[in-house]
Amino acid sequence: MSKITRYVSLGIVAVATGALVFVLPAPKSDSSIPSYQPRDAYENDFSANDAAAWLNKRRVNPATGKVDPAEVLRVRNLVEQHRLAKTSSAIGLQWELRGPDNIGGRTRTLFIDPANPQLMFAGAVSGGLYRSTTGGSSWEMVNINAPNNAVTYFTKSANGDYYYCTGEGLHYFTFGGGAGGILGGGIYKSTDGGNTFNVLPQTQPTPNNRSAEWANISFVLADPITPDLIYAATNAGLRRSTDGGQTWSNPVAGSAVSPSEIGAPIADMIVTSSGGVWFKGNNHIMYSANGAPGSFTQISSATSGLPANARRSRIAVHPTDPNYVYVANVGTSGQLGTVHRSMDGGQSWSLIGTGTTSFNPFNTQGDYDLLLAVDPKNKDRILLGGVTLWSWAPTDGWNQIASLGPDNPINPFYVHADQHDCIFHPTNPNIIYVVNDGGIFRSSNDGFTWTPVNANYITLQLYSVEGNAAGQFL
């Protein structure tokens, strides 16, 4: 079969079939037909900056070019007053879901209940909290009327209570910076198995204040043994509660650490199976064996083998052997810096990966998308993700385990870009889930092939909507 090639240039269309070339006149232009107009320069960036700048442009005062938090709050209050005064039916508005209902949006957390793996929770930064009772084959929204739907992490305490936190600080490549990150509304808690969630009053931030304590919460994590011992990684530093979230304190205060680490924004942390607490402070990787006040030490240093001062770091610990600790560091331009491993609980470290031109899973987005997880069945194997998804083991080295396209049902290797977290199934670790800017993806064969699991997970972030005379949405 001869190869058919099409060329469009300078007003002619040339179709080549084998050795013959037919030159046809190009279609005439009709100025009465609306034509595509390119976006502003920043909107052609096709990165996370694009979404952030787009959102900021629609928030600014057209006269001043600036966002006035007081004005935003005033308008929101007016909208809320209008909502309470009149129902949608009273003013003639009838809303119905138009989808898409099978394409996920940016997701930063997925939780599989170890007591019932069919029960799963997922949180999207602009779509709210969703639950699946079918092992991820379908989803439904919970806590629909929550005033804040920027969900960033979900966890379960030792007594069965559920918690999730809000506020996407990891956006626009700086923690809490830029214009696109959606401010949080606190930590929500459920004591009835995830049916109803209520905000913890002590965690509610001052509205529309990006620098307020609790404005962005990246993680809420529970001690594996003590039921009411909860930790939160916030824009104001690490917080600890011993009464199930009713009151909070800063456990780093009093530790022999740099003062800047005590109130630094905490972007990444983990609580181990033994109750140890790891987190990345302003400059250093920090650790405490039990999270007690004043017990934290700086692990990264010039002599420990684990470098300090990374732009961002992600920490992963093996779920049953806390001696195996991995740290991925982001470089000065947002690219992959280094990956280190400790096999003695952080006493010593070895370098297992360095970012290069050919090995750069983060591109320049490591401050925004960074995934690191240890395989439960093999403590010498990890998964690392940023824009793309990779695995490492001493015997295999580094290997990319998913592609960025094409996005179609016949490509079993496709996983959407911008990875945020990885979760292994609690009873079958050959089943792996990753969450990213395209929602939720699952592998049933240890990461060899992948499939999206976004049925009714309605979290896609839409830039705009437009309809035509036929009632179609574009």
Side-chain angles (χ1 to χ4, degrees), residues 105-171:
R106 183 159 67 255
T107 301
R108 287 196 175 273
T109 183
L110 175 72
F111 175 81
I112 306 174
D113 197 317
N116 175 18
Q118 291 294 102
L119 178 60
M120 304 167 65
F121 292 87
V125 297
S126 64
L129 182 68
Y130 277 75
R131 172 177 56 198
S132 174
T133 58
T134 59
S137 62
S138 63
W139 297 88
E140 60 179 354
M141 191 175 185
V142 296
N143 209 22
I144 294 175
N145 295 319
N148 189 286
N149 284 317
V151 178
T152 52
Y153 206 77
F154 189 100
T155 196
K156 182 181 182 181
S157 69
N159 66 355
D161 292 342
Y162 293 120
Y163 298 81
Y164 73 85
C165 55
T166 61
E168 189 190 18
L170 292 169
H171 194 281

Side-chain angles (χ1 to χ4, degrees), residues 304-324:
S304 69
L306 181 65
N309 301 314
R311 283 175 50 141
R312 181 187 172 192
S313 300
R314 192 71 189 262
I315 307 158
V317 182
H318 190 267
T320 59
D321 187 349
N323 285 315
Y324 274 70

Side-chain angles (χ1 to χ4, degrees), residues 318-349:
H318 190 267
T320 59
D321 187 349
N323 285 315
Y324 274 70
V325 187
Y326 295 81
V327 174
N329 290 316
V330 176
T332 56
S333 299
Q335 81 284 9
L336 173 64
T338 59
V339 185
H340 288 76
R341 175 173 71 159
S342 174
M343 296 183 290
D344 54 14
Q347 299 301 309
S348 62
W349 298 86

Side-chain angles (χ1 to χ4, degrees), residues 353-374:
T354 302
T356 64
T357 302
S358 58
F359 175 51
N360 184 18
F362 306 160
N363 195 353
T364 58
Q365 298 184 184
D367 295 338
Y368 166 71
D369 44 29
L370 175 49
L371 169 161
L372 184 66
V374 189

Side-chain angles (χ1 to χ4, degrees), residues 204-217:
Q204 288 183 286
T206 303
N208 299 293
N209 184 348
R210 191 170 294 279
S211 61
E213 186 176 4
W214 304 102
N216 298 109
I217 311 168

